[in-house]
Amino acid sequence: MKKHLKQIQQIVRISLSDIEMHSKSAENLLMGTGAVESRFEYLRQVGGSGIARSWWQIEPDTAFDNIHSWLGFRKKRLKELAKSCFLDETFLANLDLGQATSILTYNLKFACQMARIKYYRVPKPLPDADDVEGLGEYWLRYYNTGGKWGKGKGSIDKWMEAQKLLK
């Protein structure tokens, strides 16, 4: 794996551990997601609506929902996330869409954690860490849905091609 990808993998590992959501499957899923969504090159969506942010291409609506509909009922996790991301807990609990957009763009730990929480909220277990195609199917079904605009543009072929970046 290229040197900069090892550093990104460390960001993922630490970010997920800080909120007690790390597993090797989750780490591989987040690395795969970043590879296919942005090739770890873009912090802002290229083309389309341009709304998605970070290497994981999180939409501000997703972060807003994660905070207000999920973390809002899990105060311990909200506190862990705020501490991990160097954010004030009260500020985070009252985050608006504009603030979510900025933080997703400039705070890598926050963006990584928002992607992990999006996956965590899926009521299906993660595939095995070494099941690259299974992780791709999970990404395609639960992450690359296209949000409120309809079907995403992903495919298993795109996922598998992006995984070459991680070798």
Side-chain angles (χ1 to χ4, degrees), residues 25-26 28-39 55-58 115 118-119 122 124-127 131-147 151-163:
S25 290
N28 290 352
L29 182 59
L30 271 284
M31 288 299 293
T33 301
V36 71
E37 292 286 342
S38 72
R39 301 187 55 77
W55 291 326
W56 297 278
Q57 297 293 283
I58 304 285
K118 179 176 172 69
Y119 281 125
V122 171
K124 301 284 184 193
L126 295 178
D131 183 0
V132 177
E133 191 165 327
L135 291 168
E137 291 170 1
Y138 200 89
W139 160 78
L140 185 61
R141 181 169 188 158
Y142 301 114
Y143 198 90
N144 187 255
T145 61
K151 190 163 175 64
K153 295 180 180 177
S155 69
I156 291 298
D157 289 341
K158 287 181 181 179
W159 171 272
M160 297 304 285
E161 182 64 28
Q163 302 318 293

Side-chain angles (χ1 to χ4, degrees), residues 23 30 34 45 49 51 55 59 84 106 111 125 132 141 143:
S23 69
L30 271 284
Q45 182 179 358
S49 68
I51 197 166
W55 291 326
E59 293 181 3
S84 172
Y106 303 113
V132 177
R141 181 169 188 158
Y143 198 90

